[in-house]
Amino acid sequence: MALPSLVTPPAAQAYTSRVNLYLVREQGESFETLVQRSEIIARAAIQRSFDADVLMTDVIVTVIGDNQGISVPILTVPVSRSEWQLLPDVPQWADYFEAARYLVGDEDAGDQL
């Protein structure tokens, strides 16, 4: 009798999606509103990334704001699928770039996020 050969199943491929999004600051738009819009588009991009590929384990979304030709990162959201399923909330996972407030020329640069 021959013993059936043991075959090791192939290892699952897990990977990270990196998404850069560009957002143009509207004339007269406050930095806080720009950040809110950044959070909204980041949330949509994260969800789309996880929905598009079941093997995607992590997503890193960076939102870059543009103000009259000056582009600076507003926020970055590195989040795993399990974290996102537990709490799909951008502010929970986001890292904000406070220096962006100064680079986009916000009049209220002394205020905090």
Side-chain angles (χ1 to χ4, degrees):
M1 262 204 235
L3 293 174
S5 62
L6 298 176
V7 178
T8 305
Q13 295 284 330
Y15 55 96
T16 299
S17 171
R18 296 179 189 276
V19 179
N20 292 326
L21 303 169
Y22 291 84
L23 188 61
V24 176
R25 184 178 186 196
E26 301 295 328
Q27 187 170 357
E29 181 177 36
S30 72
F31 184 72
E32 286 73 21
T33 302
L34 183 65
V35 169
Q36 289 173 346
R37 288 198 307 134
S38 298
E39 291 170 346
I40 291 167
I41 67 168
R43 184 185 197 297
I46 293 166
Q47 192 61 56
R48 260 194 321 270
S49 294
F50 285 134
D51 290 346
D53 190 340
V54 297
L55 296 179
M56 185 82 54
T57 56
D58 297 277
V59 173
I60 301 171
V61 171
T62 301
V63 178
I64 300 158
D66 181 276
N67 183 39
Q68 300 176 357
I70 298 173
S71 297
V72 294
I74 304 296
L75 59 87
T76 188
V77 187
V79 64
S80 71
R81 181 182 295 272
S82 60
E83 290 169 335
W84 191 250
Q85 288 172 336
L86 179 67
L87 185 60
D89 182 46
V90 168
Q92 173 68 31
W93 310 113
D95 296 316
Y96 295 88
F97 296 93
E98 183 62 28
R101 177 186 302 272
Y102 300 98
L103 294 174
V104 298
D106 192 9
E107 298 81 25
D108 299 325
D111 297 343
Q112 295 295 315
L113 263 178

